[in-house]
Amino acid sequence: LIISASPAFLLEPICQKLHVELIASLVDPRTGQALGPNCHGEEKVRRMRTACPDIQVEAFYSDARSDAPLAKLADAAYFVRGTRLKPW
């Protein structure tokens, strides 16, 4: 599962290729207009719980401290810095 604040239309092709589910910000690709709330911070948790109510997050990886709400839900969380992983 990939959860991102980026526009869904940018990430959909790679998620399809990787056969992973995507939760992202809905943005009109022609106008750039947001079609709903930005998928950021606590909004990521809300959307994940709606899409996957019984999900258990075993491992979580992010390069953004704003993802702390998701990191708190994981059994193990890692902060990605370049090619290195640090415990959250």
Side-chain angles (χ1 to χ4, degrees):
L1 174 63
I2 293 176
I3 305 175
S4 178
S6 297
F9 71 86
L10 293 177
L11 299 176
E12 285 167 347
I14 190 68
C15 289
Q16 289 172 358
K17 189 175 241 185
L18 295 173
H19 304 286
V20 296
E21 189 174 342
L22 173 65
I23 298 172
S25 297
L26 299 177
V27 177
D28 185 313
R30 290 166 289 147
T31 65
Q33 180 180 1
L35 302 175
N38 187 19
C39 188
H40 182 265
E42 289 290 341
E43 179 67 12
K44 287 184 177 184
V45 173
R46 188 188 71 71
R47 290 192 196 188
M48 180 185 72
R49 291 286 184 218
T50 298
C52 311
D54 299 323
I55 195 168
Q56 174 59 41
V57 182
E58 294 176 13
F60 175 78
Y61 302 85
S62 179
D63 63 352
R65 293 285 178 199
S66 63
D67 285 336
L70 283 172
K72 289 177 187 177
L73 300 176
D75 295 338
Y78 303 95
F79 190 73
V80 180
R81 180 73 66 175
T83 59
R84 296 186 345 222
L85 298 178
K86 292 183 171 188
W88 198 274

